Amino acid sequence: MRQFYDDCNPHQHSEMTQSIVVQVGQCGNQIGYRFWDLALREHAAVNKNGIYDESVGSFFRNVDSRYENASDIPFGQGQGKIKSLKARAVLVDMEEGVVSEMTKGPLREVFDFQQLITDVSGSGNNWAVGHKMYGTQYREKLSETIRRAAEFCDCLQCFFVLHSMGGGTGSGVGTSILNLLADEYPDVYRFVTAVYPSSEDDVVTSPYNSVLAMHELTEKADCVLPIENQALVDIVNKIGQSVPSAKLGKRVYNASGVKAGSAIIDGEGGLSKASDEKPFDSMNNIVANLLLNMTSSARFEGSLNVDLNEITMNLVPFPKLHYLVSSQTPLFSLSDVHLPPRRLDQMFSDAFSRDHQLIKADPKHSLYLACALMVRGNVEISDVRRNIERLKPNLKFIHWNNEGWKTGLCSVPPVGQNYSLLTLANNTCVHNTFVDLRDRFNRLYKRKAHIHHYTSVEGMEVDDFSSSIDSLNSLVEEYKGLERQMNNPTPPEPRLEIFK
């Protein structure tokens, strides 16, 4: 197999890298759909002439569809006009409804039909069916489909796996794919965006699915962005209160002023309209914006670009403690991107307030191991430094990383905004989410409720439950152990004295 990473040094910015998005299950595919819609809109706003360049190439291929075997136009010759963009995406779902809807929707031209893997029966909200049964059954096909996507990349840097934790396909097949990526592409970064169920979740087995999946995420991912369903619900409600309802849902979101059918997007424009909005779109849109902001440096120029490998390098001091708490501002849902602009300093304050966190936690009352600020728009580094100095006295950093700030500046703001800020924090507050999940798991497990649905699947043992809960317990203890250092830091190591 061709080595995709040998020729490219991720530290050199002269060569643009490419990333592949693997979207799994209903939730993963719906978030993915929003991501591709918004990414097209961003590139259209910047790339007025419809030229295929490295920026567009980071997440899209340029395909000449005039030929029967639609072939990629190589970069050398491909600095010309965009012919037809195809997302660097692999779409997987064991219940074909959502994927089939996407392939009939306004973005159908953007998805390569050879990159879709679907079944009809679903995983029955059972991690074992997704992971052990479908994961094994489809492993070869998944491997081939991902390899095909990888072969279209000159310098593959990152896989983004999008899935939910509560259902069977997202949690089971999603983590099975993560294992496959770790085996077959060990040097390519694996970022996971995982949506955690709320305590009122209507899937009774979601605590089992989530804990079984977490064991895999802890072992196999380079970086996990946990997102709580309840936090998204609260944010969308908050936006609803702050935007006059008369404005909602009346716009076509082509905020960049790009005409449908322009060169950046082939076919019918590919941008969703207000009438297409689904109930979960506002929530999924927030997650899609997180991905857009996180990858903005990989897609656009900036005075201080943050490469994706620098996120793990700077924010993950211990291999398993790779769960990053994210927050972003301004917060807008799909319905109105023309919110009044926030003052820059207010934006920094918002990013550290609990209302803007994508999990239900308050990092201010816990310990920071490291924090990244990813700023977009026309913002000076001096503005960022001033805000760090202003906020720092209220934030507690671990004693061995007091200056643990990583800053990225990307010059292209999100469409319809002057600037935006994404914070990614390695903060011990994440353990609250895990403790809550563990409690819900234990309430089911001590009654041995529904266990037989799992152990009846070939390859699934009761031991899988106990090893997963052990893994979660040790993760929680590691975070709690660090948090205990907040008020009484460990004394510094004594200096080595040399006696003569």
Side-chain angles (χ1 to χ4, degrees):
M1 191 185 103
R2 177 179 158 201
Q3 297 289 306
F4 302 104
Y5 24 78
D6 281 358
D7 306 334
C8 64
N9 176 354
H11 299 291
Q12 290 175 338
H13 247 291
S14 55
E15 180 167 25
M16 276 284 189
T17 56
Q18 294 88 39
S19 296
I20 294 170
V21 177
V22 184
Q23 40 200 70
V24 191
Q26 179 178 339
C27 173
N29 276 295
Q30 286 174 335
I31 290 169
Y33 193 80
R34 301 283 355 116
F35 171 77
W36 296 111
D37 186 8
L38 293 169
L40 284 171
R41 202 174 319 159
E42 280 197 355
H43 285 289
V46 174
N47 192 330
K48 302 287 189 199
N49 300 321
I51 299 297
Y52 184 67
D53 55 18
E54 290 177 333
S55 170
V56 180
S58 55
F59 278 88
F60 293 95
R61 297 157 43 210
N62 192 18
V63 171
D64 194 336
S65 49
R66 289 173 304 176
Y67 303 105
E68 198 174 330
N69 294 330
S71 57
D72 273 33
I73 300 162
F75 260 124
Q77 307 148 32
Q79 301 291 356
K81 284 281 184 188
I82 287 168
K83 296 287 186 190
S84 171
L85 291 182
K86 295 289 182 199
R88 298 188 189 277
V90 175
L91 283 61
V92 182
D93 201 353
M94 296 298 114
E95 202 171 49
E96 60 188 351
V98 172
V99 170
S100 124
E101 208 175 297
M102 288 164 67
T103 56
K104 294 185 184 87
L107 292 188
R108 60 186 175 277
E109 295 294 324
V110 177
F111 299 112
D112 181 340
F113 280 69
Q114 295 182 63
Q115 303 291 104
L116 318 179
I117 298 178
T118 58
D119 200 298
V120 286
S121 49
S123 300
N125 292 322
N126 185 326
W127 180 85
V129 172
H131 193 88
K132 304 283 186 183
M133 191 180 102
Y134 284 130
T136 306
Q137 193 179 320
Y138 279 91
R139 184 171 171 110
E140 207 166 305
K141 191 170 183 190
L142 286 162
S143 174
E144 278 306 309
T145 308
I146 291 165
R147 180 176 297 132
R148 182 176 181 273
E151 282 172 350
F152 286 124
C153 300
D154 298 317
C155 180
L156 173 58
Q157 185 181 31
C158 228
F159 286 106
F160 288 93
V161 183
L162 318 181
H163 66 93
S164 75
M165 300 290 277
T169 298
S171 70
V173 182
T175 51
S176 174
I177 289 170
L178 189 62
N179 285 333
L180 187 153
L181 297 177
D183 291 346
E184 298 192 357
Y185 304 88
D187 299 344
V188 180
Y189 292 96
R190 297 177 295 284
F191 279 79
V192 178
T193 302
V195 179
Y196 282 65
S198 55
S199 48
E200 289 80 48
D201 191 68
D202 56 358
V203 176
V204 68
T205 52
S206 71
Y208 284 163
N209 297 335
S210 302
V211 169
L212 288 160
M214 267 200 76
H215 186 195
E216 307 290 325
L217 296 190
T218 301
E219 297 296 327
K220 302 290 184 180
D222 289 305
C223 219
V224 180
L225 303 167
I227 288 153
E228 276 185 81
N229 220 32
Q230 193 56 49
L232 295 178
V233 170
D234 294 350
I235 287 168
V236 169
N237 290 341
K238 184 169 173 273
I239 294 166
Q241 289 157 15
S242 64
V243 179
S245 56
K247 279 187 177 179
L248 286 175
K250 289 212 173 160
R251 269 195 187 84
V252 173
Y253 316 122
N254 201 340
S256 59
V258 181
K259 294 182 189 69
S262 65
I264 190 90
I265 303 155
D266 195 55
E268 297 186 57
L271 298 176
S272 304
K273 298 175 179 57
S275 56
D276 300 330
E277 191 170 340
K278 302 280 186 305
F280 292 113
D281 275 354
S282 296
M283 288 162 67
N284 294 333
N285 201 56
I286 290 164
V287 187
N289 273 306
L290 158 69
L291 291 165
L292 282 181
N293 293 331
M294 191 167 98
T295 60
S296 59
S297 277
R299 297 180 297 121
F300 301 113
E301 287 305 310
S303 55
L304 201 59
N305 265 338
V306 173
D307 219 2
L308 290 163
N309 66 305
E310 293 176 66
I311 293 174
T312 53
M313 193 80 71
N314 289 274
L315 297 185
V316 183
F318 307 106
K320 291 183 182 179
L321 303 190
H322 53 232
Y323 291 86
L324 304 184
V325 181
S326 50
S327 74
Q328 54 189 354
T329 175
L331 279 172
F332 49 86
S333 81
L334 203 57
S335 303
D336 198 330
V337 294
H338 294 279
L339 290 176
R342 302 294 274 165
R343 291 197 333 276
L344 188 65
D345 290 7
Q346 181 61 46
M347 194 171 78
F348 278 87
S349 300
D350 286 348
F352 289 88
S353 77
R354 64 183 308 157
D355 288 350
H356 283 68
Q357 309 300 319
L358 300 193
I359 65 167
K360 300 288 291 173
D362 189 353
K364 274 187 181 166
H365 295 140
S366 293
L367 189 65
Y368 281 88
L369 307 183
C371 185
L373 302 174
M374 306 186 76
V375 188
R376 298 180 63 182
N378 187 15
V379 179
E380 298 295 327
I381 187 70
S382 55
D383 291 323
V384 180
R385 289 205 181 108
R386 176 171 49 78
N387 275 290
I388 289 176
E389 291 308 317
R390 177 174 69 83
L391 292 162
K392 217 159 127 181
N394 301 317
L395 307 174
K396 298 181 175 71
F397 271 75
I398 196 151
H399 62 96
W400 41 257
N401 199 19
N402 267 324
E403 299 301 318
W405 296 89
K406 177 74 185 164
T407 304
L409 290 179
C410 168
S411 51
V412 176
V415 173
Q417 300 297 319
N418 295 329
Y419 32 65
S420 73
L421 168 63
L422 164 67
T423 70
L424 296 174
N426 199 334
N427 186 293
T428 57
C429 72
V430 76
H431 82 257
N432 297 317
T433 299
F434 302 155
V435 167
D436 181 46
L437 179 60
R438 178 175 70 182
D439 292 347
R440 301 207 308 269
F441 175 95
N442 285 334
R443 279 200 292 278
L444 278 180
Y445 193 58
K446 72 176 180 208
R447 301 200 313 271
K448 296 288 181 276
H450 307 286
I451 292 281
H452 64 285
H453 293 303
Y454 289 76
T455 51
S456 63
V457 176
E458 191 182 342
M460 182 77 187
E461 308 287 341
V462 176
D463 281 357
D464 289 323
F465 285 95
S466 42
S467 57
S468 295
I469 198 69
D470 288 349
S471 163
L472 183 55
N473 282 332
S474 78
L475 187 68
V476 166
E477 282 316 306
E478 279 196 66
Y479 276 116
K480 280 184 168 174
L482 288 166
E483 194 163 275
R484 283 194 285 274
Q485 296 181 30
M486 192 154 62
N487 301 318
N488 46 352
T490 8
E493 292 289 317
R495 296 286 296 274
L496 184 66
E497 290 184 24
I498 299 173
F499 297 100
K500 288 186 177 171

